[in-house]
Amino acid sequence: MSDTPDPDRAARVIAENVYAAFCRQGTMPAHPLEEQTIVTRLVEAIRPQIGIGSTGAIVEAANAALSAWEQRDPDVRGPRVVAVNQTDGSVTLG
């Protein structure tokens, strides 16, 4: 059993799914060392929104983190999150 609280675990799963989907569909240079940094920023953005009842807030938080990443690195471009399932952590990008 993990000591990680459920909201933390949920935020991590959603963040990892956002990152993976973005990488599959986006345009980006190969910087594998950035993965943990970007996932951590996604978790930090998403975590405060978990459990407040609005998936829209999670979508906005994830998209804000993706936009910040794109602003930092002009070679990174990709789709945005359009839906999140808090139950299983799945995401839809569009």
Side-chain angles (χ1 to χ4, degrees):
M1 181 179 246
S2 173
D3 290 337
T4 306
D6 288 343
D8 291 340
R9 188 173 22 258
R12 181 74 183 184
V13 168
I14 293 168
E16 289 172 349
N17 288 339
V18 168
Y19 180 80
F22 185 91
C23 290
R24 281 192 303 273
Q25 297 179 29
T27 303
M28 53 191 285
H31 295 301
L33 298 178
E34 276 195 332
E35 177 179 350
Q36 278 304 330
T37 301
I38 302 307
V39 170
T40 298
R41 289 184 179 154
L42 283 161
V43 170
E44 290 170 350
I46 293 167
R47 172 57 183 92
Q49 309 308 322
I50 297 294
I52 64 171
S54 169
T55 58
I58 296 170
V59 168
E60 288 179 27
N63 286 336
L66 292 175
S67 291
W69 181 24
E70 287 180 341
Q71 289 175 1
R72 220 176 34 84
D73 188 341
D75 293 330
V76 175
R77 291 286 170 260
R80 291 296 180 262
V81 178
V82 294
V84 172
N85 181 325
Q86 287 191 65
T87 303
D88 66 6
S90 63
V91 299
T92 304
L93 275 64

